[in-house]
Amino acid sequence: MNSSDNANQTIPNQWKLRLYVAGQTPKSVTAFANLKKLCEEYLQGQYQIEIVDLLQHPELAKQDQILAIPTLVRQLPPPIRQIIGDLSNQDKVLLGLDLKKVEK
């Protein structure tokens, strides 16, 4: 893959991301900060972040089968993807969101 291949990748126009947290723990705050930074860098003007606090809405964890927190769920574009953790490893998050292709 070369740089022209990257330029030809189409990034969907609308990204809907849901971050599941449990209150304002350090991991939750870090996860949101890392997500916001990544979105501003790679999806500027094309994303929507919804924060779901499971302490206030525990019933919402069931619909996305949340087993650990913080968990990021990419709802759009399909397919749905989950990334667990504070999102500090930017390369893994980019791979998980399909914003970066696996290098061979």
Side-chain angles (χ1 to χ4, degrees):
M1 181 179 294
N2 60 38
S3 62
S4 65
D5 291 335
N6 288 335
N8 292 331
Q9 285 182 326
T10 55
I11 296 176
N13 290 334
Q14 186 60 41
W15 289 70
K16 187 173 181 182
L17 306 169
R18 181 178 281 177
L19 182 63
Y20 287 90
V21 298
Q24 293 200 356
T25 64
K27 268 190 161 183
S28 298
V29 172
T30 300
F32 178 69
N34 288 333
L35 178 60
K36 184 77 174 168
K37 178 182 172 192
L38 186 141
C39 286
E40 283 298 314
E41 188 173 340
Y42 291 91
L43 303 171
Q44 193 170 31
Q46 300 175 315
Y47 68 92
Q48 175 185 359
I49 298 173
E50 179 184 6
I51 305 294
V52 177
D53 187 342
L54 294 180
L55 295 178
Q56 296 177 2
H57 304 284
E59 72 280 2
L60 295 179
K62 189 173 183 178
Q63 73 183 41
D64 281 331
Q65 301 176 341
I66 302 303
L67 302 174
I69 48 173
T71 295
L72 174 65
V73 177
R74 183 185 81 179
Q75 296 183 308
L76 288 176
I80 293 175
R81 297 251 172 128
Q82 290 188 357
I83 301 170
I84 297 171
D86 66 4
L87 311 176
S88 59
N89 187 328
Q90 188 170 346
D91 285 340
K92 285 187 178 180
V93 176
L94 291 174
L95 286 171
L97 292 175
D98 276 341
L99 287 171
K100 181 177 179 181
K101 297 297 177 193
V102 177
E103 295 177 15
K104 294 181 181 179

